[in-house]
Amino acid sequence: MQHITHQTRYLTLPILPNEEGMYTAYLDSNWALIEYALRCYSKVFAFRVDLRLPDGYNYLDTNLITRFFSSFKAMIKAQYYAKKRNNDGYVHPTEVHFVRVREVGGSGKPHYHICILLNGNAYWKLGKFADSNSLSNKVNAAWASALNTHSNDGALWPTDGLVSFPDYCSYMLDRSKTDLNYQISELNKRLSYLAKVATKPRGNGIRCYGTSRIPKPQFVGGV
């Protein structure tokens, strides 16, 4: 049985209120992901995106979100190596850190809420869909790839209206800035929405919450 909180603060930080409450294990993982990303990079660029499924798609496709992240990571890696080939200076690498949830609304159709965290020295804005080098374009292309890997009879699923970036969806956490704690608090509060109990069906064998790997901090003992 997972523990649920109905408080408006958790780990001393504000979280979004929700009538059915929040899973504390998910809140813990959200916070651990933010901390880990800030251990990796002096700047962290984070953004929220929502991914929806087209009508008629196989809603029980359990590998869909895995294919999305595999495609997105491949694009990020390819862009890094392209920059290295065309740049004499240092090019900042980045891993793709993320938290994702699968939810099912009243219509019975699943959708995904995702937050991706990257090295803020490598990426600092989403850019426009039409720009093939932009993050927003890569997200859209990765979702199209994930949907169409297992398309029916060769028909392609369009992504029109299926990829949306909420208002004020990006955050820059900069360890050198005085507003760092405020930005961390705001991002953590935004991510608390992904920990809500509501619209997360259980017992169907499909994971409704997950994050990228979060290694535990390494402590060195001394005398």
Side-chain angles (χ1 to χ4, degrees), residues 143-154:
W143 191 232
S145 174
L147 290 172
N148 290 312
T149 299
H150 293 175
S151 60
N152 297 331
D153 301 324

Side-chain angles (χ1 to χ4, degrees), residues 61-111:
D61 183 353
T62 57
N63 292 318
L64 176 62
I65 202 65
T66 299
R67 295 199 303 274
F68 165 77
F69 279 113
S70 294
S71 179
F72 183 74
K73 289 176 182 178
M75 293 179 195
I76 294 295
K77 183 177 291 186
Q79 188 171 43
Y80 168 72
Y81 285 115
K83 286 180 179 179
K84 285 194 70 173
R85 286 194 302 270
N86 299 304
N87 195 319
D88 293 332
Y90 181 74
V91 176
H92 290 275
T94 186
E95 295 295 325
V96 176
H97 309 287
F98 65 85
V99 55
R100 57 88 178 164
V101 298
R102 180 184 186 273
E103 299 186 347
V104 179
S107 65
K109 182 190 293 187
H111 58 273

Side-chain angles (χ1 to χ4, degrees), residues 32 34 36-37 44 49 61 67 77 87 105-106 113 138 140 143 151 156-157 168 189 211-212 222:
I34 294 172
Y36 176 57
V44 174
V49 62
D61 183 353
R67 295 199 303 274
K77 183 177 291 186
N87 195 319
H113 298 303
K138 287 177 172 53
N140 191 63
W143 191 232
S151 60
L156 296 181
W157 299 99
Y168 310 107
K189 183 167 67 173
T211 72
S212 51

Side-chain angles (χ1 to χ4, degrees), residues 18-23 102-104 193-201:
N18 189 272
E19 185 176 349
E20 295 186 39
M22 305 279 188
Y23 289 117
R102 180 184 186 273
E103 299 186 347
V104 179
Y193 181 80
L194 278 62
K196 64 184 175 69
V197 174
T199 67
K200 290 185 177 65

Side-chain angles (χ1 to χ4, degrees), residues 198-220:
T199 67
K200 290 185 177 65
R202 309 197 67 80
N204 58 4
I206 298 176
R207 292 181 63 196
C208 61
Y209 175 95
T211 72
S212 51
R213 182 173 174 268
I214 309 172
K216 293 182 179 179
Q218 298 296 314
F219 296 100
V220 178

